[in-house]
Amino acid sequence: MAAAEVATAVRLGPPGQPDIEYTPNFEKYQARVARRQQSEQLATTIPEGFPAKLTGDLAWEGSTVADTYKWTLVLDADQLVEVKHALEHFKSLNLPLGAITQETFPLPHLHAELRRLSKELHFGHGFFVIRGIPVDEYSRRDNIIIYTGISSHIAPRRGRQDSKYDGKPADVVITHIKDLSATAQKGVIGSPAYTTDKQVFHTDSGDIVSLFALETAATGGASQLASTWRVYNELAATRPDLLHTLSQTWNVEIFAKSDKRYTSRPLIYHQPATGDAPERILLQYARRYFVGFGALPRSADIPPITEAQAEALDTLHFLGAKFCVSTDFQKGDMQYINNLAVFHAREGFVDTPEKQRHLVRLWLRDPEYAWETPAELRDRWTELYDGVGVDSQVFPLEPYIRSESNKGR
């Protein structure tokens, strides 16, 4: 199967759902655009109070960002020795992995550079890559300690990605991104993270999403990043009606077990300038929560999305693809993204028995530089970051399908 093909069967959505699937179809998108422009009276001005244009380092474009921004920190020999010594120090303490901090994983020389990079996430271009960890020289557990330890200097708070593990309550703070479609778990997969399928442009949850490449695919699987601010500027100039759509209420499905089937909130948020922060636009969304994926189609008891919302989802994806940059993700790379200002995608890929794409992920927050959390997202941020204890943190060493992506949850 070629990397660009879709391996996962398409499932229908709720009654009244527009003709839209997880994998964007450009012809259907163009037809919807034409139909809506001919039949509807679309807004011609941006929402009141929103900026006509965002400027600054975060408003970058993929075709030119490399001209002015070097986003890869290649660790040199001295820095790699410092990382190794930090690993040995932490292991000598005989502490649980939840106790990994800047103090227990000391990086006295590298620390200042990692703090500078956190500032780059929040006030600069919103992404960077750390390169050079020789993953084959370490065990799986040691690689996870190194990744968590380095990350603790960039953003010390780790988010809860799952609330149970092995059938028991737990604060799962690290998860694996790997194709599990050939395993016994195939029938319950509800997220492309566990397949070889293309992942369309989206955000994760939380302030910062980070990925560490334990192995890359035989072919494909490139990581793509796009500036929310650049996409916003394009919409403000050409389709202000879609900014109204994106800033209005959407019904976001809750796939994890919950008393609620969905929550209602906007996808984009405007924050006016204050004495401490510049004017900002924030984006939080993932396509599958509106159209479903695999074993988790959009539920029939949740209202369907509208034609305007379907167009907005496709527009976000195709503009993301137009303005994106590939970070040339390599084995041993750690990628960090401002999850409120940069959204991401990955190409489909092909594994072989000898070479199988395998990433691990952290959701992070840096209290020193963190952006204000929009009111509509605060309950979700509480679920992520509050009450994550040292002893309750779980760091699975092997891939599994987390509850929110698992039909069998």
Side-chain angles (χ1 to χ4, degrees), residues 299-368:
S299 299
D301 57 350
I302 299 176
I305 64 173
T306 66
E307 286 290 326
Q309 289 173 332
E311 185 190 348
L313 288 175
D314 278 347
T315 302
L316 286 175
H317 173 76
F318 288 116
L319 287 181
K322 179 179 180 179
F323 296 126
C324 75
V325 67
S326 173
T327 57
D328 187 29
F329 214 25
Q330 299 177 15
K331 184 174 182 176
D333 281 3
M334 298 177 184
Q335 177 177 274
Y336 296 83
I337 305 168
N338 180 331
N339 191 53
L340 299 170
V342 174
F343 59 141
H344 60 284
R346 74 142 195 248
E347 294 178 350
F349 63 91
V350 174
D351 281 339
T352 63
E354 301 77 24
K355 196 170 174 63
Q356 299 183 14
R357 190 178 192 270
H358 188 174
L359 312 181
V360 288
R361 180 178 69 189
L362 288 166
W363 288 344
L364 303 167
R365 180 176 174 87
D366 181 0
E368 182 178 356

Side-chain angles (χ1 to χ4, degrees), residues 237-356:
T238 64
R239 289 298 304 274
D241 61 292
L242 292 180
L243 292 181
H244 287 270
T245 300
L246 291 165
S247 60
Q248 293 164 357
T249 298
W250 293 54
N251 294 322
V252 185
E253 183 153 6
I254 298 173
F255 287 121
K257 280 188 176 179
S258 171
D259 295 336
K260 297 190 296 182
R261 297 295 296 123
Y262 62 93
T263 186
S264 299
R265 63 170 180 83
L267 302 196
I268 64 169
Y269 305 86
H270 173 236
Q271 293 181 340
T274 68
D276 300 323
E279 184 174 33
R280 289 168 172 157
I281 288 288
L282 290 67
L283 173 70
Q284 269 287 288
Y285 90 108
R287 188 179 176 102
R288 76 181 185 97
Y289 292 95
F290 307 102
V291 304
F293 180 88
L296 291 174
R298 186 165 174 90
S299 299
D301 57 350
I302 299 176
I305 64 173
T306 66
E307 286 290 326
Q309 289 173 332
E311 185 190 348
L313 288 175
D314 278 347
T315 302
L316 286 175
H317 173 76
F318 288 116
L319 287 181
K322 179 179 180 179
F323 296 126
C324 75
V325 67
S326 173
T327 57
D328 187 29
F329 214 25
Q330 299 177 15
K331 184 174 182 176
D333 281 3
M334 298 177 184
Q335 177 177 274
Y336 296 83
I337 305 168
N338 180 331
N339 191 53
L340 299 170
V342 174
F343 59 141
H344 60 284
R346 74 142 195 248
E347 294 178 350
F349 63 91
V350 174
D351 281 339
T352 63
E354 301 77 24
K355 196 170 174 63
Q356 299 183 14

Side-chain angles (χ1 to χ4, degrees), residues 92-287:
S92 75
L93 300 176
N94 294 315
L95 295 170
L97 299 192
I100 297 174
T101 65
Q102 297 176 18
E103 291 71 36
T104 61
F105 194 92
L107 297 170
H109 297 99
L110 191 53
H111 172 80
E113 179 66 5
L114 297 179
R115 295 307 299 146
R116 183 192 69 79
L117 290 174
S118 182
K119 198 166 186 179
E120 183 68 44
L121 279 182
H122 294 87
F123 303 102
H125 294 81
F127 73 98
F128 63 84
V129 172
I130 296 175
R131 176 163 294 163
I133 297 297
V135 295
D136 291 337
E137 296 181 11
Y138 296 106
S139 68
R140 174 71 55 76
R141 185 175 187 271
D142 285 357
N143 273 310
I144 286 177
I145 293 172
I146 289 170
Y147 174 42
T148 307
I150 289 175
S151 298
S152 70
H153 291 262
I154 296 165
R157 293 191 69 181
R158 294 185 282 273
R160 183 187 290 108
Q161 298 187 52
D162 206 347
S163 58
K164 67 178 183 179
Y165 179 69
D166 200 21
K168 302 174 184 176
D171 294 332
V172 180
V173 296
I174 201 162
T175 53
H176 297 251
I177 310 298
K178 194 174 190 295
D179 176 30
L180 298 178
S181 60
T183 71
Q185 303 179 77
K186 178 179 181 179
V188 302
I189 293 175
S191 167
Y194 305 105
T195 73
T196 62
D197 289 10
K198 170 182 182 175
Q199 279 190 290
V200 302
F201 277 93
H202 66 286
T203 67
D204 285 13
S205 292
D207 287 7
I208 299 166
V209 58
S210 174
L211 295 167
F212 178 30
L214 300 177
E215 184 57 273
T216 55
T219 59
S223 174
Q224 299 167 320
L225 309 181
S227 162
T228 293
W229 288 21
R230 178 63 185 90
V231 169
Y232 174 89
N233 287 344
E234 188 74 7
L235 291 174
T238 64
R239 289 298 304 274
D241 61 292
L242 292 180
L243 292 181
H244 287 270
T245 300
L246 291 165
S247 60
Q248 293 164 357
T249 298
W250 293 54
N251 294 322
V252 185
E253 183 153 6
I254 298 173
F255 287 121
K257 280 188 176 179
S258 171
D259 295 336
K260 297 190 296 182
R261 297 295 296 123
Y262 62 93
T263 186
S264 299
R265 63 170 180 83
L267 302 196
I268 64 169
Y269 305 86
H270 173 236
Q271 293 181 340
T274 68
D276 300 323
E279 184 174 33
R280 289 168 172 157
I281 288 288
L282 290 67
L283 173 70
Q284 269 287 288
Y285 90 108
R287 188 179 176 102

Side-chain angles (χ1 to χ4, degrees), residues 41-46 236-237 239-241 244:
Q41 191 74 28
L42 304 178
T44 58
T45 58
I46 61 176
R239 289 298 304 274
D241 61 292
H244 287 270

